[in-house]
Amino acid sequence: MIQEPTPSGDFEQARPAVPYGPALPPAYGQVPHPPHAPSHLRESTRPGVPGWIWPAVALLSLVLGLVGGALGAGLQERLDAPGLGLGSTGTRSAPPLEAGNSSVAAVAGELLPSTVQVLASSGDNSGTGSGFVLDTSGHVVTNNHVVAAAADGGRVQVVDHRGRVHEAEVVGRSQVYDLAVLRADGVEGMEPASLGSSVDLLVGEPVVAFGAPLGLSQTVTSGIVSAKDRPVTTGSESDANSFINAVQTDAAINPGNSGGPLVDIQGRVVGVNTAIATTGGFLAESGNIGVGFAIPIEQVKVTADQILRTGEARYPVIGARVDTRSENELAGAVISEVMSGSPAQSSGLRDNDLVVAVDGTRVTDGIALIVRIRTFQPGDTVEFTVRRGGDERTVSITLGSEVG
């Protein structure tokens, strides 16, 4: 059984150029004298303005007008933009530590100042989770299930490494990827965590988990990468569509760790701690048994960028229902229903088709199929290997999208 390490508490969650200045005064030129004036006075002794000056003035006015118009248009475009993406908010990607580092203490020294505790409350309910500073603009990443219950009308606060409490608001969240982006007052000056890559991780290499397990802020645990690309669902019965292609670790993760960073030995965030495995029964209410899961940082970047730009996150869909019952495990993913007008229908996918691979990667059940699809982006064209009536064929589907 996979469950979220719920927060420690009752719940987790061309415009025309404008002339510059006044009109030019009448030009000086040759001024005729009255006919009775002496002949030597009939021509002006005042020198005339060179003939080239007027084209130059006209050209300068044109250039200034075009520049002004372009600047104005650029400013208007900036003001009309929905928001700045992840690349414009002051993120960090350089590894804080050298490649040869082997000290967990050094990693802790780098990341603890960027790790926060997240407090969420709504009515009489309250809970706690974790998060990390995303950029220099005051944004914090955490899990959706940490702030979900307080996202609409509740109160969210962030506690930094010095114990200072900052009021925060939810910028946007994704139930599907179990991620949320917060904006916290006073966090702009904090050092953002360096964002790394989960793709480059090797099974067996060391990682460090940060967070506030059981409300114990600024806690560090260490372990290794136990597996990669582990398809799991982090949802409860009321939130059954949070599927992730997880990094598995044996670093201790407990209730309250949710939303905290999983970090490589060079001090780069490679995932967001989000779920733990339990054996059921009494242990379903306990904590770490050495099997924890983190959302890969690649997905965190994509979702955070979407939220910062538009305030919402999107995920890819094919427009078909998938059978996720355990009895279909290892055989492939059974398509139980293809929706009318969907990308799946347009591609020729049919009810009861058995999907055995997506873009060359084998899928063993419905959850694996959903997770695999969600590693792509809306608009991508993906090849599905399908078995139908004893025959195997390839179906290309251009993924649609939904908000979630």
Side-chain angles (χ1 to χ4, degrees), residues 115-364:
T115 305
V116 299
Q117 184 177 8
V118 178
L119 308 176
S121 59
S122 179
D124 295 331
N125 297 322
S126 63
T128 180
S130 305
F132 65 90
V133 180
L134 176 66
D135 53 32
T136 57
S137 300
H139 295 113
V140 169
V141 167
T142 187
N143 281 142
N144 172 63
H145 71 259
V146 170
V147 299
D152 300 317
R155 186 182 189 185
V156 180
Q157 296 173 301
V158 166
V159 184
D160 66 23
H161 67 292
R162 295 179 180 174
R164 298 174 300 187
V165 180
H166 307 269
E167 295 297 325
E169 62 178 349
V170 179
V171 178
R173 55 198 183 94
S174 170
Q175 180 185 28
V176 166
Y177 294 114
D178 196 15
L179 291 168
V181 176
L182 313 179
R183 172 70 171 81
D185 295 333
V187 176
E188 296 91 338
M190 293 178 60
E191 183 74 12
S194 178
L195 306 182
S197 169
S198 72
V199 175
D200 297 330
L201 290 174
L202 299 176
V203 174
E205 76 172 84
V207 284
V208 184
F210 292 77
L214 308 176
L216 302 172
S217 63
Q218 298 289 287
T219 294
V220 176
T221 58
S222 66
I224 62 168
V225 176
S226 303
K228 294 173 57 178
D229 301 321
R230 183 73 77 193
V232 298
T233 176
T234 67
S236 62
E237 292 182 359
S238 61
D239 177 19
N241 63 350
S242 296
F243 297 94
I244 59 174
N245 199 33
V247 177
Q248 182 180 326
T249 179
D250 69 348
I253 296 175
N254 287 285
N257 266 121
S258 290
L262 185 69
V263 181
D264 68 16
I265 201 65
Q266 285 188 265
R268 299 168 297 188
V269 179
V270 294
V272 172
N273 304 319
T274 191
I276 55 178
T278 68
T279 58
F282 175 75
L283 287 177
E285 301 301 323
S286 68
N288 172 65
I289 60 170
V291 184
F293 303 98
I295 304 167
I297 192 62
E298 289 80 9
Q299 185 59 59
V300 178
K301 292 177 183 178
V302 170
T303 300
D305 182 69
Q306 291 175 341
I307 288 173
L308 291 174
R309 289 183 184 277
T310 68
E312 61 187 17
R314 306 193 73 90
Y315 65 99
V317 296
I318 63 172
R321 298 188 189 279
V322 180
D323 190 341
T324 58
R325 292 176 299 178
S326 59
E327 51 262 37
N328 293 315
E329 196 171 352
L330 301 180
V334 177
I335 302 299
S336 56
E337 182 183 1
V338 175
M339 307 302 181
S340 176
S342 67
Q345 184 185 56
S346 299
S347 72
L349 202 65
R350 299 179 185 175
D351 294 357
N352 299 315
D353 278 350
L354 182 69
V355 178
V356 295
V358 176
D359 221 35
T361 298
R362 182 175 177 241
V363 295
T364 57

Side-chain angles (χ1 to χ4, degrees), residues 377-401:
Q377 296 305 311
D380 289 347
T381 298
V382 182
E383 290 190 348
F384 289 66
T385 303
V386 177
R387 289 178 185 167
R388 180 190 303 160
D391 296 328
E392 191 167 282
R393 65 194 68 203
T394 298
V395 174
S396 293
I397 303 178
T398 299
L399 304 177
S401 72

